[in-house]
Structures are given as structure tokens and as C-alpha cells.
Amino acid sequence: MAWIETVVNGLLLGGLYGLIGIGLALVFGVMRVVDGAQGEFMVMAAFFAVIVLAAAPDLHPLIIFGLAILFSFCVGYVYQSWIVNRSMQSSDPLAPLLLTFGVSIILRSVMVEVFGADLRGLQLGSLSRASIAIFNINIGVMPLLTLATSIALFLLLQWMLKRTSFGRIIRATADRRDIVRLFGVKPDRVYACVMAMSVALSAIAGLFLAARASFTPFSGVERLLIAFEVVVLGGIGSFWGPLIGGLALGVTQLVGLKWDPNAGLLYCHLLFFIMILIRPSGLVASRS
Amino acid sequence: MHLRLVSGVVASILLSAGAPFVLGDGALRLWTEALLILTMAQMWNLLAGYAGLVSFGHQVFVAAGAYALFLAAEALNVSPYWVLPLAPLAAAFLAALVALPLFRLRDAYFSIGIWVFSEIVATLVTKSSLTGATAGLPLKTSSLMDLDWFEPTLFWIASVLALAATAGLLLLMRSEFGLGIMSVRDNDVAAMSVGVDVQRNRLIVFVISAAGCGAAGAVNFLSNLYLSPASAFDVSWVVNMMFIVVIGGIGTLEGPIIGTLLFFALREIVTGQLGLSGGWYLVALGSVAVGTMLWSPRGLWPALSARWGLRFMSVERKAPRLALQDKPNND
């Protein structure tokens, strides 16, 4: 029974990992940019929510979440249109990579200087610690909400990319940014929208992380590698892949920790390493 | 050409031989650190700028060199200087071992794959009591060294490493082998079709790059007399290499030198002159990286050399200019 509980909790943790990976996967799939600042945007949204909550303690958590997501959406739009788009004009993929790492270091250090490096949490009353029992297994409400939200968001994103005209524009821009211009599409603006969505997705991940556990300015960079693993395992360019990759890593981490308590992320890394050696293009075949 | 190279090397040797007698203790330590970082940056540059393999996991080779030195010095009970050659060997061996699986991965997959490999090795080292676990290792045989000459000796070793890395890269890239490497970076299919052995070239470059980082890492921790897994496997090693190389100018030999000077000048100014905390230094470093990538995405050195026509250690080969063509193609 204890093992089943571990697996279930692993799946719930995997929901968070999938959420962290999906933003990175979206940006990489559309723009071919590895965004090193994604983790900091996650933490930034959490700090934003903490500040808003401190200023207006009576606000409903959903309104605070909404404000933080809206804020992140705007930040992502500005980030892409003012900064990243300019560096994407060079043919060298290292330029946007270093640029985003630079932004990540700036954001992280400023957050450390301004807010300090202490552990913080987003206290949502009883919701943060609530749990329900199903078949004698204790399941936290917050982790359950995380997994449900991440599945819902994956479905929503999939639907938007497949069925809406905006989704078609995004896919067309990802394929041929030179040709879409002939149809009146401005690639830079599409990229800005995609980055805004991606940062908003990271914000959701950050809010859930803050609400279910605690965070520091370093929480983003600590999860950057696992986010990369999620994306690569899922297959770069595939949109269901990150969720599957995230679930696999979440289960591996908790089962590994139960078996070998001071292993940290060792078994996640081993799983990743073995998987990419067997299938160098990811679990789900890439369709870039 | 060879005259300039030889005179440059001789001048550098004379400069670094005399430096410990002129510089103070603090300055000497700073220069030692800078030369070691420069060595690592050139090694990362060799791999990323010339062979096209962007590594996020070079800290594993820094750590491999350092652990080899500390463990060998303790096991053989000799002065650490004697076992220093083992450091690059250990890093090279590790690189050759892991190259086989890693080379199956392309581009971003390779970068992330080697980072994950580094994390795996870091966790295993942290768990193993053989390597001192989380507590790390002290340098047991440090008493066998002449501590009066400790700082100057380390400075000289660091100078030799940095000089060997830069001059070696210059000679390597001007050789037939270097041309083969660069052809793989620019177009591996075309390189293969003219008979370049892509995998062999990549392997050799990867092993050299790891060996250089291992040697520099060993000297760095030798100067601390203490080695902890958290600092040896710190991802900042590779982040610093990447910042220095890309800000200075990737795929040039002068770029990492400019990058290293800027990196340390920035640190000394922000934390020393302005008296601000390390956090603001990182903000300044990040801002320099963002600014450089926005206004000169190829790095500072290519922009400077194009503006003033400077070239000291160019490894570009320009085609003979045609009579009718007015402007030479600088790219």
C-alpha cells in the first residue's frame, strides 16, 4: 500500500514537472530557442502572488492566481518582443541561449537582493495543507489540483494548436517563418504571443509550487535541469510528450527516494540518461 | 607568421616568470584564478566554437581532474605537484568513456545529456565514502609542498596551462586536422563527403577539451587545499566558461581572453571598488551578457576586430581575392 501511495504521489509530482516542461517545449518547438529564464519566471509569479496576497489578504485565491498569470503573460510578451526577438536574428543559436541565461541570472540575483533567499510559501488557508483519502491513500488536494490543471492545460493547448486559426498560424510560423510573411503574418508578433503563453504556463507551475510547498529565488534554476529532461524525454516538438515525461520523472523520483533516501534526483537522471540512449529522439516521436 | 607566434610565446613566458616578484599576494591569486578560468574557457571554446558541440556539463571534467589529484596524492603519499599530470589523464579517460553514448545525441540533446551525466557523477561521488562523500577531501600531503613558493608555483603552472591552451589551439586550428574539425562544425555531411572522419575528429577534440579542464580544475582546487563535491561539480564552472567565450567571441582565440579580462574586471569593480554584494556582480554580468548579445551577437572581439581591422591570432582562411571584386568578404 505504501508503494502505491508513493506511485500516486509521484504521478502528482509529475503533473508539476509536466507543467514546468510544457512552457519550455512550446518555446523550443516554435522558435528553436532554449529558454534558460523559464525557471525565474516561475519564481517571479510566485513572488508576485505573495506580494498581492500580503497587500490584499481578503482577495480570493483565484483572483490572485489570475492577476499573477496576467502579469506573467505581459512580462512574457515584453520579454520576447523587446529582447529575445532581437537576438533571434543572428544565425547562431548560442546568442539567444546566452541571452536568456543572462536574463535568468539578472532576475534571480535581483530577486535574491530584493526578497532575500529565505524559504517562502503562498498560504492559501486550509487549501494548502488539505488532503483527501481515497482507498486509504492520503492525497493532497493541492497536488491533485496541480495534476488536474496540467492535464486540462495540455488538452487546451493541444486543441488551440490543432483546431483554432491562431494555432494554425503558430504551427505555420514554426515551420516556415519566411513564408508566413507572404500571408500577412508577423512572425515576431506570433513569437511574442507564444512566449507570453509559455511564461504564463510557467507562472501557473510556480503558483502551484508555492502553494503546495515553499520556494526561494533559486527554486527555478534548481528545476531547470528537470524541466529540460521533461522536454527531451517527451520528444522536442511534441506536445503530449512533456506530460508523459513529467509523470515518468515524478514517479521515478519518489520511488527512488523511498528505496534510497539520500539519492536526490539520481534515479531521474539515470532514467533520463538510459532513455535517451535507447531512443535519442525522445519517448514520443518528434514531429517538428 | 611563426616568428610572431614564437615571439608572442617568449614574451608571455618572460612576463609570467617575472610577475610573482612584482605582484602582491592578492593580485597573484587573482591572476592565477583568471588564467585557470581562461584555460577552461579556451577548452570550452575549442569544443563549442570549433567542433560545434555545446557542453553544459564541463564541470564534470573540472571535478574529475581535482578528484584525481587529491586521491592520487593521498594514495601515493607524494607531493601534489608530482601527481598533477594524472588530472588531465583522468578527465580525458572519463571523456573518452562517455563520448561513445553522448555522441549519439545531437545539438541541444548533447548539451543536456552531458549536464545530466555530470549530475549523475556528482551524486555518486557525493554518496561514496571513497571520495569523502558530502564532506569532501582535504589535501593530505600539502605539507610536502614548499609553502613559501606555493602561490608563485601555482601562478606559473596556471600561466603554462593558459599559454598552452591558447597557443595549442592556434597551432591546432591552423593544421590540417583543425580544418577538418571546422569543416565538421560548418557542414558535417559535406565534411564526410570529402573524407573527414567526423566521429574521430569530434572524439579527439572532446578528449583534449576535457583534459584541459581537468588540469585547470585540479590546480584550482590545489590552491584551495580542499575539495568539496558541491564546489567541484558546481554548474557555475560551465556557466562561467560559456559567458566568457560567448561574450568575448566564440570561435576566436582572442575572444575568451577579452571575456576573461572583462569577467574579472567586472567582479573586482563591483565587489571591490563599488563595495556591492556578489548578487549585484551577477546582475552586472548578466546585463553585460544581454547587452552583448543584443548589440553584437557574435561577441565583442569580432566586433572590435571588424571595426579596427585588428587580428592577432586569426585562424580564418581567406580565399585569394579576385581582381574584379572590390570588397573582400570578411565573413
Side-chain angles (χ1 to χ4, degrees):
Chain A
M1 210 61 196
W3 284 100
I4 297 174
E5 193 172 333
T6 309
V7 171
V8 170
N9 283 325
L11 286 174
L12 298 176
L13 179 65
L16 182 69
Y17 286 166
L19 214 47
I20 299 173
I22 185 178
L24 268 180
L26 188 65
V27 168
F28 192 87
V30 176
M31 303 175 233
R32 303 268 123 193
V33 169
V34 176
D35 183 14
Q38 206 70 247
E40 275 62 41
F41 289 126
M42 207 173 106
V43 178
M44 207 161 84
F47 271 119
F48 181 86
V50 167
I51 292 170
V52 172
L53 191 67
D58 298 331
L59 273 182
H60 192 272
L62 273 181
I63 297 176
I64 294 174
F65 272 42
L67 283 174
I69 293 165
L70 189 70
F71 166 76
S72 302
F73 190 89
C74 299
V75 167
Y77 195 94
V78 169
Y79 169 61
Q80 179 71 28
S81 46
W82 288 8
I83 302 178
V84 186
N85 271 340
R86 290 189 55 178
S87 78
M88 281 170 63
Q89 284 154 7
S90 81
S91 55
D92 191 351
L94 271 175
L97 181 70
L98 188 79
L99 182 94
T100 58
F101 269 103
V103 170
S104 128
I105 288 193
I106 296 174
L107 287 178
R108 185 163 68 242
S109 312
V110 167
M111 285 191 289
V112 172
E113 293 296 328
V114 174
F115 301 114
D118 310 332
L119 277 175
R120 283 162 186 268
L122 191 58
Q123 292 304 324
L124 299 179
S126 56
L127 194 60
S128 283
R129 301 279 169 266
S131 68
I132 48 173
I134 303 172
F135 302 118
N136 289 334
I137 299 174
N138 266 327
I139 296 173
V141 171
M142 236 25 235
L144 202 60
L145 269 178
T146 314
L147 181 61
T149 312
S150 97
I151 293 175
L153 284 171
F154 270 95
L155 284 171
L156 188 71
L157 197 67
Q158 191 79 345
W159 172 79
M160 191 209 70
L161 287 167
K162 279 268 163 71
R163 297 266 181 264
T164 65
S165 60
F166 183 59
R168 270 196 297 282
I169 291 173
I170 292 178
R171 282 185 292 139
T173 312
D175 286 343
R176 292 301 295 267
R177 64 171 291 174
D178 46 346
I179 305 286
V180 291
R181 298 179 73 94
L182 303 174
F183 296 85
V185 173
K186 290 191 168 121
D188 282 358
R189 205 167 288 174
V190 175
Y191 289 157
C193 288
V194 169
M195 182 58 88
M197 286 194 295
S198 159
V199 173
L201 286 166
S202 304
I204 298 172
L207 293 169
F208 274 113
L209 176 76
R212 69 191 271 172
S214 51
F215 69 98
T216 70
F218 299 100
S219 295
V221 70
E222 283 161 4
R223 284 168 183 78
L224 188 64
L225 183 55
I226 204 115
F228 281 150
E229 290 181 352
V230 165
V231 176
V232 174
L233 265 189
I236 284 173
S238 105
F239 284 106
W240 270 110
L243 184 62
I244 300 168
L247 294 178
L249 289 175
V251 172
T252 311
Q253 184 185 342
L254 291 196
V255 170
L257 278 178
K258 193 167 174 66
W259 187 57
D260 182 3
N262 66 352
L265 290 170
L266 177 64
Y267 295 98
C268 285
H269 295 329
L270 280 176
L271 172 81
F272 172 84
F273 206 70
I274 293 165
M275 279 312 301
I276 55 166
L277 293 183
I278 300 171
R279 297 204 51 178
S281 54
L283 283 177
V284 182
S286 171
R287 310 164 302 190
S288 64
Chain B
M1 180 51 66
H2 278 285
L3 188 72
R4 261 174 66 189
L5 178 65
V6 171
S7 52
V9 169
V10 170
S12 315
I13 291 175
L14 288 178
L15 256 180
S16 53
F21 303 103
V22 182
L23 295 172
D25 265 2
L28 197 61
R29 216 170 294 130
L30 185 69
W31 277 102
T32 308
E33 195 189 348
L35 288 166
L36 292 174
I37 292 280
L38 172 62
T39 309
M40 294 183 200
Q42 291 289 27
M43 291 296 114
W44 194 86
N45 184 27
L46 165 66
L47 197 60
Y50 294 101
L53 290 170
V54 177
S55 162
F56 286 168
H58 256 46
Q59 63 274 25
V60 76
F61 302 124
V62 173
Y67 271 98
L69 176 80
F70 275 61
L71 290 171
E74 188 183 337
L76 303 173
N77 201 22
V78 292
S79 161
Y81 296 139
W82 289 109
V83 286
L84 202 54
L86 286 176
L89 285 180
F93 177 72
L94 187 68
L97 205 67
V98 78
L100 197 68
L102 278 181
F103 280 7
R104 296 185 57 203
L105 309 172
R106 297 297 309 266
D107 306 332
Y109 283 78
F110 172 83
S111 314
I112 294 161
I114 188 168
W115 187 2
V116 172
F117 171 72
S118 166
E119 289 294 316
I120 292 174
V121 176
T123 319
L124 293 177
V125 166
T126 312
K127 281 167 73 75
S128 164
S129 56
L130 187 76
T131 49
T134 35
L137 297 168
L139 192 58
K140 293 266 172 56
T141 55
S142 55
S143 54
L144 296 177
M145 293 185 293
D146 184 354
L147 285 179
D148 290 339
W149 286 94
F150 186 54
E151 305 266 325
T153 313
L154 289 181
F155 174 80
W156 285 323
I157 297 175
S159 309
V160 167
L161 286 177
L163 191 63
T166 308
L169 232 60
L170 181 66
L171 290 176
L172 190 70
M173 285 308 142
R174 284 181 175 172
S175 69
E176 194 184 334
F177 176 72
L179 268 183
I181 291 168
M182 286 188 270
S183 70
V184 173
R185 169 195 64 186
D186 296 335
N187 188 335
D188 56 353
V189 178
M192 253 187 285
S193 72
V194 294
V196 176
D197 189 339
V198 174
Q199 291 296 31
R200 182 177 143 269
N201 279 5
R202 280 205 178 123
L203 178 70
I204 294 172
V205 169
F206 187 59
V207 169
I208 295 176
S209 166
C213 281
V219 177
N220 179 80
F221 284 97
L222 174 59
S223 74
N224 294 349
L225 301 175
Y226 173 71
L227 173 62
S228 79
S231 57
F233 290 98
D234 192 343
V235 74
S236 340
W237 285 117
V238 78
V239 171
N240 292 347
M241 293 179 217
M242 184 170 87
F243 269 65
I244 286 171
V245 170
V246 182
I247 289 175
I250 190 164
T252 66
L253 290 176
E254 300 92 338
I257 299 176
I258 302 235
T260 308
L261 289 176
L262 188 67
F263 182 85
F264 281 93
L266 208 61
R267 194 178 82 183
E268 292 310 303
I269 290 170
V270 174
T271 58
Q273 306 282 318
L274 301 178
L276 295 170
S277 70
W280 292 114
Y281 156 63
L282 291 175
V283 173
L285 184 65
S287 309
V288 169
V290 171
T292 311
M293 288 306 105
L294 286 181
W295 283 286
S296 171
R298 290 177 60 211
L300 291 176
W301 177 253
L304 292 177
S305 73
R307 194 180 167 94
W308 289 309
L310 302 171
R311 36 191 77 228
F312 298 111
M313 296 183 277
S314 175
V315 290
E316 282 175 59
R317 269 162 206 256
K318 287 205 288 184
R321 207 198 300 180
L322 292 173
L324 289 173
Q325 207 177 338
D326 285 327
K327 285 183 177 173
N329 188 3
N330 269 332
D331 220 332

